């Protein structure tokens, strides 16, 4: 089936939004997730929003036997691979867990894909692979380096995908480097549901606005930026979800070129693509936008810089535009509005 996609980690924050976009674009999806950082309720809500059941399998990407059962039961066009652990601080404390889950897990998935001759993959990479960028905006040819095990695990997977593409030219491996995904589905039904006190800025601001947390600590106001606070390229999660649909459509189109002509190779090899808006927003600018949208005061204090943070980071988006025909459409106000709608409708997340 050309339109059947395996979505690993599809119960998570970005995966759940992408499931909706995939369904709306006519793709049939099978979600495979061990629920280590997500809830079955997310899938129930996605199913409710699209008005159709979703095939969900609870399983781990490190479990080759369980993966084989899934590949035995379905003929996939490709895999969108979200499954992974993502907390930078936790990765420093538990590097083996992160390398095992993110790197070994991906190797197991790629081995099973090889067995079943499914050679189209869209991988969730991150702007973190660029480390501290030398120039802005960051394009896909920028040097890569990482300072923590989470980032290293993403970079290592990218190296594995590059080597795989060289070893066997029938692979198409798109590595989508996300900048800072924020926001929620406009229905307010699905969104980001951090387990603990959030590490990331947007969920932290949102929990201060709703009164769950007392005040925001802003990590540094002495960066060489517009107002001294860090600058990031925040991207709405529904725009990001649409980027995955565009990546699959691109693969489908490339692979269909010269169809039937066995002398032609249409696979795309390893292709890294940034998904961002191309615009930088400072921490203070985001706080002010959120405060305006929510009509809540957001108390904050400046504290020292957070170890490992960089001053500024925003994407060059021309590859996404030129190759995938994709562009982010939603504004910072949209991102704040949708986050706020999700937050007030679900003060305790999915629980
Ligand atoms: P998330 O934690 O909400 O989703 C990841 C999903 O993968 C979860 O549902 C989790 O249960 C599942 N999972 C983890 N390990 C698994 C395993 N071994 N087997 C099966 N399922 C497993 O995270 P997210 O924000 O949706 O991120 C999705 C992907 O995008 C991750 O790979 C993440 O590293 C990457 N990414 C996220 C961000 C971000 O800021 N959210 C930025 C860049 C890249
Ligand atoms: N940040 C902050 N306080 C927080 C969380 C984040 O000031 O409680 C800042 C952080 O220093 C960075 C920006 O917000 O400049 C984005 O941080 P986040 O962790 O969301 O994303 P990342 O650092 O991965 O880009």
């Amino acid at each position: 089936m050309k339109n059947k996609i395996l979505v690993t980690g599809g119960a998570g924050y970005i995966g759940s939004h992408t499931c909706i976009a995939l369904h709306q674009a006519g793709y049939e999806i099978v979600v495979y997730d061990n629920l280590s950082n997500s809830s079955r309720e997310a899938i129930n809500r996605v199913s409710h929003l699209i008005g159709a059941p979703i095939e969900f399998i609870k399983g781990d990407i490190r479990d080759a036997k369980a993966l084989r059962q899934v590949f035995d039961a379905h003929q996939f066009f490709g895999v969108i691979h979200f499954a992974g652990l993502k907390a930078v601080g936790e990765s420093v404390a538990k590097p083996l867990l992160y390398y095992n889950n993110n790197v070994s897990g991906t190797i197991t998935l790629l081995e099973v894909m090889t067995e079943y001759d499914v050679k189209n993959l869209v991988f969730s990479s991150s702007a973190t692979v660029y480390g501290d960028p030398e120039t802005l905006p960051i394009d896909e040819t920028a040097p890569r380096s990482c300072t923590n095990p989470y980032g290293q695990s993403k970079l290592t997977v990218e190296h594995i995908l590059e080597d795989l593409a060289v070893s066997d030219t029938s692979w198409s491996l798109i590595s989508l480097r996300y900048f800072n995904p924020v926001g929620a589905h406009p229905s307010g039904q699905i969104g980001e549901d951090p387990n603990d006190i959030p590490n990331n800025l947007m969920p932290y601001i949102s929990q201060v606005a709703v009164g769950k947390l007392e005040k925001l600590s802003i990590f540094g106001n002495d960066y060489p930026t517009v107002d001294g606070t860090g600058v990031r390229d925040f991207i709405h999660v529904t725009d990001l979800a649409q980027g995955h649909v565009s990546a699959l459509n691109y693969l489908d189109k490339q692979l269909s070129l010269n169809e039937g002509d066995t002398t032609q190779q249409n696979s795309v090899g390893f292709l890294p693509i940034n998904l961002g808006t191309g615009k930088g927003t400072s921490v203070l600018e985001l706080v002010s936008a959120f405060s305006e949208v929510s009509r809540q005061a957001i108390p904050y204090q400046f504290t020292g810089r957070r170890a490992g943070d960089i001053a500024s980071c925003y994407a060059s988006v021309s590859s996404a535009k030129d190759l995938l025909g994709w562009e982010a459409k939603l504004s910072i106000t949209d991102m704040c509005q949708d986050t706020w709608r999700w937050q007030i409708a679900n003060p305790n997340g999915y629980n």
Side-chain angles (χ1 to χ4, degrees):
M1 277 269 283
K2 224 168 172 186
N3 69 346
K4 204 180 229 189
I5 306 297
L6 177 66
V7 185
T8 75
Y13 170 47
I14 304 169
S16 54
H17 290 82
T18 304
C19 286
I20 295 178
L22 289 169
H23 175 84
Q24 286 168 346
Y27 286 97
E28 199 181 321
I29 53 177
V30 175
V31 172
Y32 186 84
D33 196 305
N34 66 1
L35 300 180
S36 58
N37 194 39
S38 52
S39 150
R40 184 74 175 78
E41 177 61 13
I43 293 294
N44 297 342
R45 294 194 187 181
V46 169
S47 184
H48 178 74
L49 285 167
I50 64 175
I54 288 193
E55 175 147 5
F56 173 76
I57 298 147
K58 187 173 175 198
D60 197 296
I61 51 164
R62 291 163 295 181
D63 183 346
K65 208 171 144 198
L67 276 177
R68 283 192 196 101
Q69 283 172 2
V70 180
F71 280 78
D72 276 333
H74 302 275
Q75 217 184 326
F76 293 114
F77 169 68
V79 177
I80 303 189
H81 179 33
F82 293 106
L85 298 173
K86 63 168 181 177
V88 173
E90 187 187 45
S91 81
V92 175
K94 300 175 181 171
L96 296 180
L97 173 68
Y98 271 67
Y99 287 119
N100 183 261
N101 199 80
N102 295 4
V103 180
S104 302
T106 302
I107 293 174
T108 303
L109 173 67
L110 292 167
E111 283 171 343
V112 174
M113 288 175 71
T114 309
E115 283 173 36
Y116 287 81
D117 201 29
V118 176
K119 294 191 171 169
N120 301 319
L121 180 88
V122 177
F123 171 63
S124 297
S125 188
S126 165
T128 195
V129 300
Y130 296 118
D132 197 350
E134 283 163 19
T135 50
L136 292 168
I138 310 170
D139 73 40
E140 289 84 353
T141 62
R144 288 170 291 169
S145 69
C146 289
T147 52
N148 60 71
Y150 166 70
Q152 262 327 328
S153 76
K154 291 289 170 193
L155 188 50
T156 304
V157 169
E158 285 207 352
H159 287 315
I160 292 170
L161 299 181
E162 284 168 283
D163 291 342
L164 191 59
V166 170
S167 75
D168 174 353
T169 54
S170 60
W171 281 95
S172 292
L173 303 155
I174 301 189
S175 187
L176 296 178
R177 295 178 180 153
Y178 312 151
F179 279 65
N180 288 62
V182 295
H185 192 264
S187 65
Q189 289 291 300
I190 59 167
E192 188 169 11
D193 181 17
N195 268 336
D196 220 330
I197 295 175
N199 296 307
N200 294 111
L201 181 63
M202 184 66 116
Y204 203 107
I205 291 178
S206 164
Q207 292 197 13
V208 171
V210 86
K212 277 182 82 176
L213 294 170
E214 195 194 337
K215 69 171 130 172
L216 171 73
S217 292
I218 297 185
F219 303 141
N221 61 346
D222 57 352
Y223 285 108
T225 61
V226 59
D227 53 25
T229 65
V231 164
R232 295 291 183 274
D233 184 342
F234 298 99
I235 170 163
H236 198 295
V237 67
T238 61
D239 273 336
L240 195 69
Q242 204 53 48
H244 293 75
V245 173
S246 301
L248 283 181
N249 291 346
Y250 171 77
L251 276 185
D252 190 21
K253 198 175 80 198
Q254 290 301 115
L255 295 167
S256 308
L257 294 174
N258 310 309
E259 211 163 28
D261 180 350
T262 49
T263 63
Q264 298 288 331
Q265 186 70 57
N266 296 320
S267 51
V268 307
F270 174 75
L271 180 64
I273 298 190
N274 289 341
L275 292 185
T277 62
K279 295 184 205 89
T281 301
S282 76
V283 173
L284 277 177
E285 286 168 342
L286 190 68
V287 169
S288 156
F290 202 97
S291 181
E292 203 165 301
V293 160
S294 63
R295 297 166 197 260
Q296 303 294 316
I298 298 169
Y300 62 81
Q301 62 185 3
F302 293 116
T303 61
R305 293 181 179 190
R306 183 170 66 179
D309 269 1
I310 55 173
S312 293
C313 172
Y314 49 92
S316 158
V317 292
S318 46
S319 295
K321 198 172 168 186
D322 297 346
L323 293 174
L324 309 186
W326 171 92
E327 260 184 300
K329 296 196 174 75
L330 298 170
S331 67
I332 289 287
T333 303
D334 297 319
M335 301 178 210
C336 294
Q337 264 163 354
D338 291 335
T339 303
W340 184 232
R341 192 178 297 110
W342 154 255
Q343 177 70 69
I344 45 181
N346 307 271
N348 298 312
Y350 289 113
N351 297 316

